[in-house]
Amino acid sequence: MTPPATSSLNASRRASDLATLAAGEVVDVLVVGLGATGAGAALDAASRGLSVAAIDAHDLAFGTSRWSSKLVHGGLRYLASGQVGVAHESAVERGVLMAHTAPHLVRALPFVLPLTPLVSGSSAAAAMAGIRAGDLLRLSARTPRAVLPRPRRLSAVETLRLAPALRSYGLRGGILSWDGQLTDDARLVTAIARTAAAHGARIITRCRALALTGEGAHVRDEQTGEELVIRARAVINATGVWAGGLAEGVRLRPSRGTHLVLRAEALGAPLSGLHLPVPGASGRFALVLPQEDGRVYVGLTDEPADGPIPDVPQPTEAEIGFLLDLVDSALEVPVRRSDVAGAYAGLRPLLDGPGGRTADLSRRHAVLRGADGVVTIVGGKLTTYRRMAEDALDAVIEERGLTAGPCRTARLPLIGAASGPELGRLTAPAHLVRRYGAEAPDVAALAAADPSLLDPVAPGSATIGAELVWAVLHEGALDESDLLDRRTRIGLIAEDREAALPAARRALAHAPAGTGSR
Ligand SMILES: Cc1cc2nc3c(=O)[nH]c(=O)nc-3n(C[C@H](O)[C@H](O)[C@H](O)COP(=O)(O)OP(=O)(O)OC[C@H]3O[C@@H](n4cnc5c(N)ncnc54)[C@H](O)[C@@H]3O)c2cc1C
């Protein structure tokens, strides 16, 4: 059976795609793992004209890809550690996302480094030099200044205008710089996976690979417990921190990064992100990251996370306390434990290297070719998912002798992508345009038959019922957790999640019974 050429993912399409694979269809490429990397590999392969199946044990963006800082960054920190190639690659991929493939999902976020008494004159000069070097990276990646404005010094008054809660005592001003910020990391993964689906990829969640070979995988449908074999001419292992469990000789050394989730009022509703120096750790900064939904994330720790890999990593109280102390050291207003509305942690899929702390390991990705023909793609970061996917596909095409077209993803817009002026002309609420791009009017139109779908799903939440129904019909959401923890991020605050559960249950009643296409 030919897969429907539509971007819509839902329970009905999943069932028919899985049935086709169970019946013995042989695909060109099987991708295992649907984080940013695996979804990117599925899109790369499908857009080169290859037939593709991509599976995840849980859901789209179930792993590390939803626990990031949600930045599409230009690689300044890699430049600082002398990794010029990694930094340049990051800057190029940031430009690709912001200017071509996902301008609807990435905005330019201003960052302020406040020049407090903690920042000496020489540190400030070094920081300014670094930020200027970051602007040169932007230039070398050919990202226009209209996309990422020029960095500059700020007066104390300008600094406080952007971040009113900063402690004013001793504030000498600030350094303003710009970087890319995602509307949400899990939404990026959803958009990549749906774009792959629009190119015919079979995207199947709740399907766990139990064992891989170069010719396919033994898998289990986690909905029914049934086991089956998916046959493929090439197999890509894109399971992030879990990659070592499926491929011989892949050794990872995960490190845990924790973020706090606060309501913006608790931090004086900052208009910019903040780089806050970590006392006693030269060149290390904590991030304050205002989101468009009235929340602010504060990160980021870097702790070795040896031992068994949990499905959902948990932040420790010590990490939460460390971040609170950092924020407290810079702000006029006290931020208490009770202000922490939520916290999340993710594991960086870092390749094990010789000695040293995990923070010092390279963020470069690696394509590892197993003796059985399985190609593992691991390491890297969200920003560079497209390049990682391209490298993985180049490797399997060569290794397995597949006939495929050239990589097209650097100029292939993701579903919903449109230019700023086009997005500005859409007749849909602004918050929907920021989350769905050109599809926002279609999301809003769901409320025509049921105006209650325009209501927020929890008190004070920016998310409306129509978004949950849209996720069930078109974004492959199969249960409450898919809806609240990945298609939307209501679940990052437990009390909001609880309040939104009834809306999620109502939305699931819209699951399509017999059709798989829009
Ligand atoms: C705290 C933190 C902050 C970060 N911030 C940023 C940032 O701001 N910007 C940036 O560019 N990068 C950032 N990163 C890095 C980035 O998030 C990761 O590099 C990236 O998300 C990894 O994606 P992935 O697809 O390789 O892995 P994952 O997202 O972990 O995907 C792996 C998938 O494989 C699935 N899977 C596992 N086992 C199986 C199996 N047996 N069968 C089928 N499926 C399976 C999992 O369910 C999962 O969905 C951050 C990382 C962390 C930890």
Side-chain angles (χ1 to χ4, degrees), residues 414-437:
L414 299 184
I415 203 84
S419 68
E422 283 165 335
L423 294 173
R425 286 194 292 274
L426 294 173
T427 48
H431 81 275
L432 292 184
V433 175
R434 284 195 295 269
R435 293 174 57 78
Y436 302 88

Side-chain angles (χ1 to χ4, degrees), residues 32-39 55-73 78 185 207-210 238-243 246 255-259 300-301 344-349 377-384 388:
V32 182
L34 280 164
T37 310
I55 62 173
D56 197 284
H58 301 273
D59 183 27
L60 308 178
F62 181 85
T64 304
S65 295
R66 67 174 154 145
W67 303 127
S68 79
S69 305
K70 293 134 193 20
L71 295 176
V72 168
H73 44 76
Y78 313 118
D185 44 13
C207 182
R208 179 181 294 277
L210 302 172
T239 51
V241 279
W242 294 276
L246 287 172
S255 99
R256 191 174 52 248
T258 288
H259 289 85
L300 170 73
T301 61
Y344 65 85
L347 298 178
R348 298 177 185 86
I377 172 77
V378 74
K381 51 202 164 292
L382 208 62
T383 307
T384 53
M388 294 170 70

Side-chain angles (χ1 to χ4, degrees), residues 193-220:
R194 287 186 57 215
T195 311
H199 284 79
R202 302 188 189 281
I203 303 288
I204 301 167
T205 58
R206 307 296 194 288
C207 182
R208 179 181 294 277
L210 302 172
L212 306 183
T213 69
E215 282 82 42
H218 180 192
V219 308
R220 183 173 62 222

Side-chain angles (χ1 to χ4, degrees), residues 450 452-453 455-457 465 468-469 472 483 499-511:
D450 177 1
S452 74
L453 291 178
D455 295 341
V457 297
L468 303 185
V469 175
V472 169
L483 286 171
L501 270 173
R505 290 181 187 134
R506 281 195 298 278
L508 287 166
H510 290 259

Side-chain angles (χ1 to χ4, degrees), residues 141-482:
R142 299 175 190 219
T143 306
R145 197 166 301 293
V147 174
L148 284 168
R150 183 190 301 276
R152 65 180 178 91
R153 268 294 293 257
L154 296 174
S155 68
V157 171
E158 288 174 307
T159 302
L160 286 169
R161 200 179 301 134
L162 287 169
L166 277 175
R167 187 165 300 147
S168 55
Y169 177 77
L171 186 70
R172 313 195 298 285
I175 299 174
L176 175 71
S177 60
W178 297 79
D179 219 339
Q181 184 190 39
L182 284 161
T183 301
D184 183 52
D185 44 13
R187 290 214 60 77
L188 174 70
V189 176
T190 302
I192 302 167
R194 287 186 57 215
T195 311
H199 284 79
R202 302 188 189 281
I203 303 288
I204 301 167
T205 58
R206 307 296 194 288
C207 182
R208 179 181 294 277
L210 302 172
L212 306 183
T213 69
E215 282 82 42
H218 180 192
V219 308
R220 183 173 62 222
D221 177 353
E222 299 287 42
Q223 301 274 65
T224 63
E226 273 171 40
E227 295 186 12
L228 61 136
V229 169
I230 298 180
R231 298 167 62 208
R233 294 181 185 91
V235 176
I236 295 176
N237 173 18
T239 51
V241 279
W242 294 276
L246 287 172
E248 287 285 315
V250 174
R251 283 179 48 232
L252 296 172
R253 188 152 174 237
S255 99
R256 191 174 52 248
T258 288
H259 289 85
L260 309 180
V261 182
L262 297 128
R263 303 206 193 264
E265 316 83 73
L267 294 177
L271 299 174
S272 74
L274 291 174
H275 288 129
L276 298 180
V278 177
S282 160
R284 200 171 152 212
F285 296 92
L287 302 172
V288 174
L289 300 159
Q291 309 296 305
E292 290 173 318
D293 62 0
R295 297 171 177 182
V296 179
Y297 304 148
V298 177
L300 170 73
T301 61
D302 196 339
E303 296 294 326
D306 299 326
I309 297 168
D311 278 354
V312 179
Q314 296 300 326
T316 64
E317 271 305 317
E319 289 167 329
I320 293 172
F322 167 81
L323 291 170
L324 274 178
D325 286 350
L326 260 172
V327 175
D328 239 8
S329 73
L331 298 193
E332 198 86 68
V333 291
V335 184
R336 304 182 188 88
R337 180 66 179 84
S338 55
D339 292 317
V340 177
Y344 65 85
L347 298 178
R348 298 177 185 86
L350 303 179
L351 280 172
D352 200 359
R357 272 175 54 79
T358 52
D360 300 326
L361 296 181
S362 167
R363 299 308 202 238
R364 191 184 289 280
H365 63 268
V367 176
L368 307 169
R369 301 176 193 224
D372 54 2
V374 174
V375 167
T376 296
I377 172 77
V378 74
K381 51 202 164 292
L382 208 62
T383 307
T384 53
Y385 81 91
R386 192 206 65 77
R387 180 59 198 271
M388 294 170 70
E390 179 178 349
D391 290 352
L393 259 295
D394 285 347
V396 291
I397 287 167
E398 183 197 288
E399 180 105 2
R400 312 300 286 181
L402 302 177
T403 304
C407 176
R408 294 174 48 207
T409 52
R411 291 294 179 272
L412 187 68
L414 299 184
I415 203 84
S419 68
E422 283 165 335
L423 294 173
R425 286 194 292 274
L426 294 173
T427 48
H431 81 275
L432 292 184
V433 175
R434 284 195 295 269
R435 293 174 57 78
Y436 302 88
E439 291 191 315
D442 299 336
V443 179
L446 289 172
D450 177 1
S452 74
L453 291 178
L454 291 174
D455 295 341
V457 297
S461 168
T463 305
I464 60 172
E467 294 177 69
L468 303 185
V469 175
W470 178 261
V472 169
L473 293 176
H474 305 299
E475 295 182 339
L478 300 179
D479 68 11
E480 292 155 7
S481 177
D482 292 0

